Amino acid sequence: MPRPPNYEFQDWWNKQRENGHDVVPEKYECTTNSDNINNNNNNNNHHHPNSPFLTVEIRNPSSDPAVDKEMRARSVRQLSGIYLLKLQQIAYSVVYAVIYVVRTIQSRSASDSSHSRFYRAIKWMLILVISLLCFELAAYFKGWHFSPPTAETAELMVEFVYATWLQVRADYLAPPLKSLGHTCIVLFLIQSLDRLVLVIGCAWIKFKKVKPKAAMAYPVGKGDDEDLEDYPMVLVQIPMCNEREVYGQSIAAVCVQDWPKERMLVQILDDSDDLDVQLLIKAEVLKWQQRGVHIIYRHRLIRSGYKAGNLNSAMGCDYVKDYEFVAIFDADFQPTPDFLKKTIPYFKGNDDLALVQTRWSFVNKDENLLTRLQNINLSFHFEVEQQVNGVFINFFGFNGTAGVWRIKALEECGGWLDRTTVEDMDIAVRAHLCGWKFVYVNDVKCLCELPESYEAYKKQQHRWHSGPMQLFRMCFIDIIRSKVSWAKKANLIFLFFLLRKLVLPFYSFTLFCIILPLTMFIPEAELPAWVVSYVPGFMSILNILPAPRSFPFIVPYLLFENTMSVTKFNAMISGLFRFGSSYEWIVTKKLGRSSEADLVAFAEKESDSTFPRSTSESGIAQMNRLGVTRKTERRNKLYRKELALAFILLTASVRSLLSAQGMHFYFLLFQGISFLLVGLDLIGEQVNTTSS
């Protein structure tokens, strides 16, 4: 409802206008300096009271210029003080944040990267590229990238320094960097050609359906008329060390083998130093002994030689002479019940056959991004490398598990040695030099588990890449002096060791993590685009062919392989030059992803319910009695080498952006992000930090 009009105010207003009075008194009038321009018009309005218009003047009293100057100076000082306080607060916040980040990095950094020579070299390179970036940014804003100055025309000191830097990098730095880059490109192309030949060989095997043939085949299941003499004596060994999560699965899978109990003996080789784990494994062994399985428990008080020492100690038992073959399984491996029936027949009629190696199959390959990327690598290794080498040259590296050895071959080549961290490759090379042959069976698969945390995977890869260099250094003379053909010697030296174990991590790290970032600051040695993108992309496609379901992960795979090159290169150098970390042997952490319930169901299906369901209960009950629970709290670790390289690559990407190098910029950007994610431990499962 609108308000009623105020007639009294309207009457007063009209009377004031008729009498010629100003509505605003003179003492409240003021004039602004801006209104002085119309001063005459305003004065005329005051001298004509009968004017129909009401004029309101706002005047500003005149001020003293000295006072105005002093006020302005005071305002400037006040603003300066406020800004200084703000800057001081920001500086304190930044310093506090830096201190907090440094302390966090120190507390969460992985112990293997804190004081190494390799990390210090990467750190100094980071300082160098950041300094160069600051220098290039200053030159960019000065416009020197359009018209570079020379030492003769330089007027300022900074300009003279920049001109000198241009001359030094063109005359002294670019030539050696370009030569190193060309060397890495040649190695890259040779290794790519090797991969291509392997893929072609695998395609030929698939097309021709070439497979190793066994002289006989055992019947499925247990027949009433079977002759025990047809089944040779087989020793089954399961070396383990503090394998709390997976010991029960491997023991159960081996004990339900479809093989006469009288012709098989299972050795549980326990190197655990955890008393609770020892009790759990003993209880599991006792339970299977009560069910009629020939199984014994062995524990060493002195853990010398790690896995090789454990296996060598077990082979020294007197009763081993009664057995002809030995099957070896790591603690997380679960062979199918017909494993022995599918592998032993290959030895029949092949007296020169020393090893039958089977393929690994992974129960957790889709668990996270890390396991998916590992599955790509290992699928290529088994489907292509092992199969091609097994078919064409009857030699490949023993994978350390899921294989059957002829005991006579082990004894003839000197048995297990603990001189390296790759005892499996060591004994395979020595057996090959003694003239023994190997067979790889791609159709027989053995379930196992991939490491799900980056920490466990990194330690595993360090051991796998430092050990071959140790072995190559030790057995090079033996290879030269051996009686095998020169073709086999060349294959061992140039392909097996140098190209596939040394060249691959060397060029991958040097080319993409060192040379490429430096060429952004030394453009005279710039790498061509096909080296940065096309060839690596093509090689990634070849590597991913054996695992076609992983094609959506081809870009993460390419970036992650370059990221892992820092670990592989560090391991290769430490093994080649006998650094202390090369002899570190750490058991790969497993989580027991394959549940016992799944194993029960699988065993019942494959072996006609020969695997008792109560088996899966005793281990859990024993764990409950001991008060053993799984670790629950998880925490990220920080990896200094990966973080330092991330900042190096990201810094180089900024420099690449200044020079408008599109392909190089995107590669450096995404590769730097990949290093950053890995360095922050954001790939795979986080590691356990507390226990119950």
Side-chain angles (χ1 to χ4, degrees):
M1 182 176 179
R3 295 178 58 185
N6 191 345
Y7 294 106
E8 294 181 358
F9 177 77
Q10 187 68 33
D11 292 340
W12 175 82
W13 181 272
N14 293 333
K15 288 179 181 181
Q16 293 295 323
R17 293 185 60 188
E18 291 174 359
N19 296 332
H21 295 160
D22 288 339
V23 177
V24 179
E26 183 72 20
K27 61 180 180 180
Y28 293 106
E29 295 178 1
C30 58
T31 302
T32 61
N33 295 329
S34 62
D35 291 334
N36 288 335
I37 300 174
N38 300 322
N39 191 36
N40 294 331
N41 294 333
N42 292 337
N43 292 335
N44 291 334
N45 289 336
H46 283 288
H47 291 288
H48 295 279
N50 294 326
S51 175
F53 299 100
L54 177 65
T55 302
V56 179
E57 293 186 3
I58 302 176
R59 297 179 181 178
N60 186 22
S62 60
S63 58
D64 189 359
V67 175
D68 289 343
K69 185 176 181 181
E70 182 181 355
M71 293 296 295
R72 285 195 295 268
R74 185 181 301 172
S75 299
V76 170
R77 288 195 298 271
Q78 290 175 349
L79 289 175
S80 300
I82 293 173
Y83 288 141
L84 287 176
L85 288 175
K86 293 290 185 182
L87 290 175
Q88 188 177 13
Q89 292 176 355
I90 294 173
Y92 285 153
S93 301
V94 171
V95 171
Y96 177 78
V98 170
I99 294 175
Y100 176 77
V101 170
V102 170
R103 289 180 178 177
T104 302
I105 292 176
Q106 290 177 348
S107 62
R108 296 193 181 185
S109 294
S111 59
D112 61 342
S113 61
S114 56
H115 298 95
S116 66
R117 301 182 186 91
F118 191 46
Y119 170 68
R120 287 198 293 269
I122 295 176
K123 184 170 63 175
W124 281 110
M125 182 180 175
L126 174 60
I127 296 173
L128 174 64
V129 296
I130 292 178
S131 303
L132 290 176
L133 178 62
C134 295
F135 204 38
E136 293 292 342
L137 285 173
Y140 181 84
F141 289 113
K142 288 285 187 179
W144 293 339
H145 58 292
F146 292 116
S147 57
T150 61
E152 293 78 10
T153 61
E155 298 179 356
L156 301 176
M157 184 64 183
V158 177
E159 191 174 2
F160 176 79
V161 172
Y162 184 73
T164 305
W165 156 247
L166 293 180
Q167 185 176 358
V168 169
R169 82 181 189 187
D171 296 340
Y172 300 103
L173 299 181
L177 186 62
K178 187 180 296 185
S179 300
L180 181 60
H182 290 165
T183 302
C184 290
I185 291 174
V186 171
L187 295 176
F188 185 22
L189 293 177
I190 294 175
Q191 201 271 336
S192 301
L193 180 62
D194 175 63
R195 287 293 175 103
L196 181 60
V197 171
L198 288 174
V199 171
I200 294 175
C202 181
W204 185 85
I205 292 173
K206 295 292 184 183
F207 180 75
K208 294 292 186 178
K209 297 181 180 180
V210 178
K211 294 182 179 179
K213 296 181 180 180
M216 50 97 59
Y218 290 105
V220 179
K222 296 182 179 180
D224 297 333
D225 56 347
E226 61 182 6
D227 186 3
L228 293 181
E229 296 299 326
D230 294 335
Y231 295 86
M233 299 288 285
V234 178
L235 180 67
V236 181
Q237 295 178 333
I238 307 180
M240 58 181 60
C241 179
N242 297 325
E243 308 279 359
R244 181 192 305 271
E245 291 80 8
V246 295
Y247 73 94
Q249 301 170 12
S250 58
I251 294 176
V254 167
C255 289
V256 298
Q257 282 294 305
D258 186 11
W259 198 261
K261 296 180 180 180
E262 299 83 358
R263 314 293 289 179
M264 182 180 72
L265 174 65
V266 180
Q267 284 183 320
I268 306 302
L269 311 178
D270 183 24
D271 265 2
S272 303
D273 55 7
D274 188 334
L275 182 59
D276 291 341
V277 177
Q278 294 179 27
L279 294 176
L280 290 170
I281 297 174
K282 287 180 180 179
E284 188 74 13
V285 170
L286 178 61
K287 179 187 61 183
W288 283 104
Q289 287 176 345
Q290 294 173 351
R291 297 182 183 276
V293 178
H294 292 179
I295 181 173
I296 60 175
Y297 173 87
R298 283 179 54 85
H299 177 73
R300 295 192 304 161
L301 297 178
I302 301 176
R303 287 182 54 200
S304 60
Y306 303 109
K307 181 180 177 180
N310 198 1
L311 293 172
N312 189 56
S313 174
M315 293 298 294
C317 297
D318 294 335
Y319 53 79
V320 172
K321 64 179 182 294
D322 298 329
Y323 294 84
E324 186 176 358
F325 304 104
V326 55
I328 303 172
F329 302 99
D330 284 347
D332 60 306
F333 278 71
Q334 304 159 36
T336 56
D338 57 354
F339 180 88
L340 294 178
K341 284 189 173 181
K342 288 184 176 180
T343 53
I344 297 297
Y346 290 97
F347 291 98
K348 297 291 185 178
N350 293 326
D351 294 336
D352 58 350
L353 181 61
L355 168 67
V356 175
Q357 174 71 58
T358 62
R359 181 171 179 169
W360 298 359
S361 179
F362 311 107
V363 298
N364 61 337
K365 62 182 179 181
D366 297 326
E367 188 66 28
N368 54 44
L369 179 60
L370 179 61
T371 58
R372 291 177 184 272
L373 300 180
Q374 292 179 69
N375 180 57
I376 295 174
N377 263 340
L378 291 173
S379 295
F380 183 88
H381 170 69
F382 285 104
E383 185 78 21
V384 179
E385 290 181 336
Q386 297 290 74
Q387 188 168 211
V388 170
N389 290 328
V391 169
F392 289 102
I393 60 178
N394 296 118
F395 168 72
F396 46 82
F398 175 45
N399 294 117
T401 179
V404 182
W405 277 90
R406 189 187 297 271
I407 295 180
K408 179 182 178 181
L410 290 177
E411 295 173 345
E412 183 177 316
C413 64
W416 298 99
L417 300 179
D418 58 359
R419 58 181 180 173
T420 70
T421 59
V422 283
E423 70 291 329
D424 44 9
M425 184 182 295
D426 187 358
I427 199 167
V429 170
R430 286 184 283 117
H432 181 59
L433 294 178
C434 291
W436 292 95
K437 295 181 179 180
F438 301 164
V439 165
Y440 173 74
V441 185
N442 194 55
D443 296 334
V444 181
K445 299 180 180 180
C446 190
L447 288 174
C448 63
E449 186 176 321
L450 292 167
E452 296 182 15
S453 70
Y454 178 69
E455 182 185 36
Y457 180 63
K458 182 178 181 179
K459 291 178 179 178
Q460 180 194 70
Q461 292 300 305
H462 188 278
R463 176 164 54 87
W464 285 4
H465 286 82
S466 64
M469 292 299 98
Q470 301 170 15
L471 181 61
F472 177 67
R473 191 184 66 249
M474 294 177 179
C475 70
F476 177 76
I477 300 300
D478 295 335
I479 295 175
I480 298 298
R481 294 175 178 176
S482 65
K483 297 180 181 180
V484 298
S485 64
W486 281 102
K488 292 184 177 180
K489 293 178 182 179
N491 172 70
L492 271 176
I493 294 174
F494 294 107
L495 291 180
F496 186 75
F497 280 112
L498 292 181
L499 185 60
R500 296 169 188 168
K501 301 299 188 296
L502 188 147
V503 169
L504 178 58
F506 171 77
Y507 86 76
S508 181
F509 173 75
T510 307
L511 187 62
F512 296 111
C513 300
I514 300 297
I515 297 178
L516 180 59
L518 288 179
T519 56
M520 297 299 100
F521 301 96
I522 307 177
E524 293 83 358
E526 180 182 352
L527 295 175
W530 60 269
V531 174
V532 177
S533 58
Y534 303 134
V535 176
F538 177 70
M539 294 310 302
S540 297
I541 293 175
L542 291 181
N543 290 340
I544 214 168
L545 284 177
R549 290 180 54 196
S550 301
F551 261 98
F553 303 95
I554 186 170
V555 174
Y557 171 74
L558 171 62
L559 297 175
F560 182 70
E561 280 302 292
N562 289 334
T563 304
M564 284 304 301
S565 66
V566 59
T567 297
K568 297 176 181 179
F569 178 82
N570 186 28
M572 182 265 294
I573 293 297
S574 64
L576 192 61
F577 296 101
R578 306 176 65 178
F579 294 152
S581 60
S582 62
Y583 294 95
E584 186 179 17
W585 213 108
I586 299 176
V587 178
T588 304
K589 179 68 176 177
K590 300 298 192 307
L591 301 178
R593 286 294 183 184
S594 182
S595 66
E596 294 183 350
D598 295 338
L599 186 59
V600 170
F602 182 81
E604 289 178 347
K605 178 181 177 181
E606 296 293 332
S607 58
D608 195 21
S609 302
T610 59
F611 179 52
R613 184 174 296 273
S614 61
T615 301
S616 63
E617 300 173 357
S618 65
I620 298 176
Q622 183 73 9
M623 290 175 69
N624 291 334
R625 285 195 298 269
L626 294 172
V628 179
T629 57
R630 285 196 175 188
K631 301 175 181 180
T632 56
E633 184 178 345
R634 298 178 183 273
R635 189 180 184 185
N636 292 74
K637 281 195 172 183
L638 300 179
Y639 299 93
R640 295 188 178 187
K641 287 194 288 286
E642 286 79 357
L643 288 175
L645 283 167
F647 292 125
I648 289 174
L649 293 169
L650 293 176
T651 302
S653 69
V654 175
R655 178 63 183 89
S656 176
L657 184 62
L658 295 179
S659 55
Q661 294 173 309
M663 185 65 69
H664 298 76
F665 166 73
Y666 290 115
F667 182 87
L668 289 168
L669 176 63
F670 290 115
Q671 191 63 70
I673 294 175
S674 175
F675 268 101
L676 186 63
L677 294 176
V678 172
L680 295 175
D681 198 15
L682 297 179
I683 181 172
E685 289 285 339
Q686 299 173 8
V687 298
N688 297 327
T689 57
T690 61
S691 59
S692 301

